[in-house]
Amino acid sequence: MSEGRGLSVTTRITVLTGVVGALLCVLLGVVLMTAINRLANAYLTDEVKGGAGRVSREMELGALTDPIAPGPIRYIQVVDEAGRVFASTPELRGRPPMARFTPPDDNDTAQTVICGGVFAKGECAIVVAQWAHRAGRSWIVYSAAPRFKPWVHPVFAVLLPTATALLAGTIIYLGRRIATVSMRPVREIRAELDEINATCPGRRVPVPPGDDDIHALAESVNHTLGRLQTAMEQQRQFASDASHDLRSPITAMRAEVEDALLAPDKTDVKSVAGAMLRSLDRLQAIVCDLLTIARLDAAMPGERDPVDLAELVTAELKIHQHRTKRIECHLQAGVVVFGDWLRLGRLFTNLLDNAERHAESAIAITVRHDSRGPCDPERFPDGAAVMEVLDDGAGIPPDKRELVFQRFARLDSARARDTGGTGLGLPIARQIAESCGGTLRIEDSDKGARFVLCLPAAAGPPLHGASATPPAAKCGAAEAGGRAQVPPVAGA
């Protein structure tokens, strides 16, 4: 059945309630009718026994008359030892004995149900037999009365189904009423959700009172809407910032081309090409960063290989040798994590580029096991690998340390976009850290900005394969774990 033709939840609950209620009512009616029938027949059996006892006493006292006065019981016969009817009530005059069974002893009675015979066709009667003795002779007194039908009485036969139907109808009505009232908040939530769109992301669904599942559902929906609104606003801001950053180099290149067209004789092709190449480099950097962020946002999995952070740092420093600031390394050997070499290299490069833009003269790089903080021990119960990048620049105020991890964020003139950054390096670095199960924060320092990367330390085999990290050059001339300096390239 398609969703469009499916029954609503209210209808399903009503149908289920109706079926279950009807079955329970029918079962209740059957049980009640059976119990009343058995109770009525039990009372009737006592009456029949009482009639047999009365006639037996009259027979023993010699006070029995023929025909026998029926009293409450209309079917009574007295049968002698030869099986001949000695006396009977008027209804059984001239009829053969109604039964042939006898009581087991003189002081006991026997009873059974007999259908047909001396009784009307299709009629069943409760028959009780009892001995009577007088003057050395014995007789059997048979007393009988028709059994009650299963419905006991015609009025009861009409009343019970009617009451059962009314009770079933009441249950169905109450079930639908309860389902309707219970689903009303859901309909209100759905109606509000239908009204929410991109033009009004701040609207929220109504939260019903109480502490039930629908209340929790409404709160969950509102939390989801809040996250969607935040994501939408971030996306809009990101698109605005990206378009602004892309427009700046495009505008610069357009201005260069227009100037060259206006004065072709005075235009130096080499100068124009150099200016345009700088703008193209910036465009390329922004586009590459945008593609990286898109991959990280899509949660594309990276490799899970063992990576020695000290080797990664020395390898990246060897690749990017043209640095204008002095670099000091404090690298502890054997600090291994599981991750993607290329992504972790990109993370370190972004931190190093940021530090170089804002350092005055030196950058300190530290790799070590977390033995004295600042990594959260609850988040890294098996230990953490720490990488720190510290510059000796102006630093970042504590209240703005999270702002620099927002995309295209700028703080002041010291960290303005004219320093060469795209405004995406630090956000990319944090996303890479979080995708590896780690954290990237700015911690306190005596001078400059101190970026601290915490990653889960490798404590077992890698998840995918066991490939070793590529060989890496040492940081300077000293062994890893010592203190070395990488001097700036001559002429930089």
Side-chain angles (χ1 to χ4, degrees):
M1 180 182 293
S2 66
E3 184 178 357
R5 295 195 298 268
L7 298 176
S8 65
V9 175
T10 302
T11 303
R12 294 176 192 174
I13 295 176
T14 302
V15 171
L16 178 62
T17 304
V19 172
V20 174
L23 291 177
L24 291 178
C25 289
V26 170
L27 180 61
L28 176 63
V30 171
V31 170
L32 185 61
M33 185 176 292
T34 302
I36 294 176
N37 178 266
R38 289 187 177 182
L39 184 62
N41 283 318
Y43 285 143
L44 180 62
T45 301
D46 292 340
E47 290 290 333
V48 173
K49 287 181 179 180
R54 175 181 63 82
V55 173
S56 177
R57 288 193 297 272
E58 291 180 354
M59 185 68 185
E60 292 175 350
L61 294 175
L64 184 66
T65 58
D66 187 23
I68 301 172
I73 304 303
R74 296 182 296 115
Y75 299 141
I76 300 176
Q77 285 182 333
V78 179
V79 181
D80 59 16
E81 295 176 341
R84 294 187 298 270
V85 177
F86 179 77
S88 66
T89 53
E91 286 80 358
L92 298 180
R93 295 287 290 179
R95 302 284 186 90
M98 68 176 72
R100 297 292 182 180
F101 67 95
T102 59
D105 54 56
D106 292 343
N107 297 322
D108 201 359
T109 60
Q111 67 183 57
T112 187
V113 176
I114 298 177
C115 297
V118 298
F119 307 109
K121 185 178 180 180
E123 185 180 61
C124 296
I126 301 173
V127 180
V128 175
Q130 183 173 343
W131 287 106
H133 306 281
R134 186 170 65 83
R137 296 184 61 186
S138 298
W139 292 266
I140 299 176
V141 178
Y142 291 108
S143 178
R147 284 187 73 186
F148 287 108
K149 300 292 184 182
W151 52 84
V152 180
H153 194 276
V155 175
F156 185 70
V158 175
L159 182 62
L160 185 59
T162 303
T164 301
L166 290 175
L167 181 58
T170 302
I171 293 176
I172 294 173
Y173 171 77
L174 291 177
R176 184 173 183 82
R177 180 67 178 172
I178 293 173
T180 302
V181 173
S182 300
M183 295 303 296
R184 182 180 299 149
V186 177
R187 291 193 296 271
E188 294 175 354
I189 292 173
R190 186 188 65 183
E192 186 65 24
L193 283 175
D194 291 339
E195 296 291 331
I196 297 176
N197 51 43
T199 61
C200 53
R203 294 176 61 174
R204 298 294 182 265
V205 300
V207 179
D211 192 18
D212 54 7
D213 293 339
I214 299 179
H215 177 88
L217 172 64
E219 289 188 337
S220 179
V221 169
N222 283 336
H223 290 325
T224 302
L225 290 174
R227 291 193 297 269
L228 289 176
Q229 182 183 6
T230 301
M232 184 183 301
E233 292 174 353
Q234 291 177 348
Q235 189 70 18
R236 289 175 176 172
Q237 185 64 37
F238 178 75
S240 175
D241 293 339
S243 63
H244 186 277
D245 273 42
L246 290 171
R247 187 171 62 240
S248 296
I250 293 174
T251 303
M253 288 189 294
R254 184 181 181 87
E256 293 290 341
V257 173
E258 289 177 349
D259 289 343
L261 291 176
L262 289 174
D265 297 336
K266 299 180 181 180
T267 299
D268 183 5
V269 176
K270 187 175 181 180
S271 175
V272 173
M276 292 186 67
L277 279 177
R278 287 192 295 272
S279 297
L280 286 173
D281 289 339
R282 182 169 180 78
L283 275 177
Q284 184 179 10
I286 295 174
V287 171
C288 289
D289 286 345
L290 290 175
L291 289 176
T292 301
I293 284 183
R295 294 190 185 98
L296 293 173
D297 288 343
M300 297 179 63
E303 298 295 329
R304 295 286 293 172
D305 296 326
V307 178
D308 189 308
L309 293 183
E311 293 183 359
L312 181 137
V313 169
T314 54
E316 292 297 326
L317 289 176
K318 183 178 179 181
I319 294 173
H320 305 283
Q321 296 182 3
H322 299 284
R323 297 290 176 181
T324 60
K325 304 297 190 301
R326 186 179 75 257
I327 298 177
E328 299 177 356
C329 294
H330 310 267
L331 308 180
Q332 180 180 350
V335 181
V336 181
V337 299
F338 288 126
D340 189 313
W341 176 280
L342 296 178
R343 288 189 177 182
L344 291 175
R346 176 67 183 275
L347 186 157
F348 170 70
T349 302
N350 288 359
L351 293 180
L352 189 59
D353 289 343
N354 178 78
E356 187 173 13
R357 282 195 300 271
H358 306 297
E360 292 182 0
S361 60
I363 301 170
I365 302 172
T366 303
V367 172
R368 59 179 172 81
H369 283 290
D370 181 33
S371 58
R372 59 182 184 277
C375 299
D376 185 3
E378 295 184 358
R379 182 162 184 173
F380 305 98
D382 298 328
V386 180
M387 176 193 294
E388 296 185 6
V389 178
L390 171 64
D391 64 68
D392 59 353
I396 302 175
D399 59 337
K400 296 182 180 180
R401 289 177 179 177
E402 285 300 314
L403 180 61
V404 299
F405 292 106
Q406 297 181 11
R407 299 170 185 180
F408 298 107
R410 295 294 185 273
L411 296 183
D412 49 31
S413 58
R415 294 182 179 270
R417 63 183 73 209
D418 60 0
T419 58
T422 64
L424 296 175
L426 294 180
I428 290 175
R430 170 168 278 189
Q431 279 193 267
I432 293 175
E434 292 176 348
S435 68
C436 295
T439 61
L440 177 60
R441 299 192 305 272
I442 302 176
E443 300 292 345
D444 295 334
S445 62
D446 295 335
K447 184 178 181 181
R450 177 185 169 214
F451 289 83
V452 179
L453 169 68
C454 295
L455 294 174
L463 298 180
H464 303 293
S467 60
T469 55
K474 300 303 179 182
C475 184
E479 294 294 328
R483 177 187 176 102
Q485 295 183 355
V486 179
V489 179

